[in-house]
Amino acid sequence: MIEVQDLTKSYGGVTAVDHVSFRVNKGEILGFLGPNGAGKTTTMRILTGYMPATSGTARVAGFDVAHDSLEVRRHIGYLPEAPPVYPDMTVASYLDFVLRIKNVPAEKRRGRLADALEKTNIADKRGELIKRLSRGYKQRVGLAQALVHDPDVIILDEPTVGLDPKQIIEVRRLIKGLAGSHTIILSTHILPEVSMTCDRVVIIHKGRIAAVDTPHNLTSQLKGGQKVQIDVQAPPQLLEELLARIPGATSVQLSPPRADGHLLATVEAAPGADLRSQIAAQIVAKGWALYELRGISLSLEDIFLQLTTDEAAQTPPPN
């Protein structure tokens, strides 16, 4: 549904988007994740025809963004960072205006308007002037205009900015509900947004793709070896020596002993190795008291920080 190949955007000597390539399948929700200034918004603007690329290609719903811009715009709904609303219009009149400029047939407008109001939970605000709404409600109106014409592709740039926690949950539920019937790109720097909402994630850093995969696969593939944390009562030096001798252990870290004599130790294993049973067996064989042993899962936040350091994103992985 969306195909991006070697997309590049330069401003003088600054390259905001640097040979970005990815694809989004029909009905999929793709999270476009990166820190502020990574190139997310620039990519979104190119995909929506808001600005041209310096080089590379992008196709949306089968149409080239550069050469078939009007066709692309007919197939997308777009919510930029700032909701594109007219403050002196009522919610309903504004959405009706959007339906008209999107050339939605007259007999379908009332149904589409009602559906958008219901999905974004603003039906009770339909007669309100937009300028009198809170920031959160204005954001919902922006979401409504992005989906009111029932587009194939919905592009959302930071869709939960300015919303309170309850509204954020509602918007995430709405976005999840749109999957399948719509293809969605969700641009954000908020990690829970991706892990709770998206099927796949593109991590972008300094204009380049650092990783493309599902949140689950990123967690399992990029973390290197497994980490095991143990809570034990044992002599610190002997414990460190024992753990270091376990085949497959690549590093051992011990915290200072607590007042009750407990030690917390973290053992990192080589990729593919699971050391939990060996660690437990050897500690028990020594007669030391083992209070806890658990694997530590690398979170999406850990991966994000790992991939968006200055050393990361040097060579983009294949899609």
Side-chain angles (χ1 to χ4, degrees):
M1 184 57 72
I2 301 174
E3 299 179 10
V4 176
Q5 186 66 40
D6 289 328
L7 201 66
T8 300
K9 179 64 179 180
S10 299
Y11 300 95
V14 177
T15 302
V17 177
D18 189 2
H19 294 88
V20 164
S21 298
F22 64 91
R23 65 180 296 134
V24 191
N25 300 318
K26 185 175 181 180
E28 185 177 36
I29 303 177
L30 180 80
F32 208 62
L33 177 65
N36 291 329
K40 303 186 303 296
T41 294
T42 299
T43 304
M44 301 298 100
R45 289 176 175 176
I46 293 171
L47 289 178
T48 56
Y50 184 86
M51 64 169 60
T54 303
S55 63
T57 61
R59 299 181 68 84
V60 176
F63 298 98
D64 187 277
V65 169
H67 303 294
D68 300 302
S69 179
L70 289 178
E71 284 298 330
V72 168
R73 296 179 200 195
R74 290 187 181 100
H75 287 81
I76 63 172
Y78 178 39
L79 174 63
E81 289 178 287
V85 296
Y86 292 110
D88 290 321
M89 299 180 76
T90 66
V91 172
S93 61
Y94 167 67
L95 293 177
D96 183 66
F97 167 72
V98 173
L99 286 164
R100 291 172 185 272
I101 63 173
K102 292 288 185 178
N103 292 319
V104 175
E107 65 272 14
K108 293 184 178 180
R109 289 177 199 155
R110 178 174 293 185
R112 292 303 314 151
L113 176 58
D115 186 57
L117 290 170
E118 181 181 353
K119 283 181 177 177
T120 54
N121 199 21
I122 54 173
D124 60 332
K125 303 292 184 181
R126 62 180 299 145
E128 292 275 353
L129 289 176
I130 294 174
K131 66 183 178 182
R132 294 178 180 169
L133 299 177
S134 67
R135 183 175 179 179
Y137 273 107
K138 287 176 183 174
Q139 191 77 355
R140 292 192 192 201
V141 175
L143 275 167
Q145 68 79 31
L147 59 90
V148 69
H149 57 296
D150 196 26
D152 296 319
V153 175
I154 299 175
I155 298 177
L156 307 174
D157 196 357
E158 306 281 1
T160 59
V161 170
L163 303 186
D164 63 38
K166 182 175 182 293
Q167 292 171 331
I168 289 172
I169 292 171
E170 291 173 353
V171 169
R172 287 176 183 162
R173 188 180 298 120
L174 164 62
I175 294 170
K176 287 288 286 184
L178 295 173
S181 55
H182 304 273
T183 302
I184 301 170
I185 294 185
L186 170 67
S187 168
T188 185
H189 67 278
I190 302 172
L191 293 160
E193 208 91 287
V194 170
S195 57
M196 295 180 184
T197 309
C198 301
D199 303 311
R200 283 193 307 132
V201 57
V202 170
I203 297 179
I204 186 170
H205 176 58
K206 292 186 176 179
R208 303 192 70 195
I209 298 293
V212 183
D213 214 324
T214 65
H216 174 76
N217 285 346
L218 284 173
T219 300
S220 60
Q221 293 175 12
L222 298 181
K223 68 180 180 181
Q226 181 195 53
K227 289 184 179 180
V228 178
Q229 188 173 78
I230 60 173
D231 180 355
V232 63
Q233 277 188 322
Q237 185 174 349
L238 293 178
L239 175 64
E240 186 172 9
E241 291 173 356
L242 179 142
L243 295 175
R245 289 196 302 267
I246 294 177
T250 58
S251 70
V252 178
Q253 292 182 332
L254 265 65
S255 64
R258 300 199 312 239
D260 58 5
H262 286 231
L263 284 171
L264 290 179
T266 302
V267 182
E268 185 165 352
D274 188 342
L275 305 183
R276 288 174 295 180
S277 61
Q278 295 181 62
I279 292 172
Q282 296 207 29
I283 288 176
V284 171
K286 286 287 187 181
W288 298 334
L290 178 62
Y291 293 93
E292 183 181 24
L293 184 150
R294 63 186 177 90
I296 303 174
S297 297
L298 196 65
S299 69
L300 187 59
E301 182 174 4
D302 296 323
I303 295 167
F304 179 74
L305 294 173
Q306 185 183 105
L307 294 174
T308 55
T309 60
D310 289 338
E311 293 78 21
Q314 296 301 310
T315 304
N319 286 348

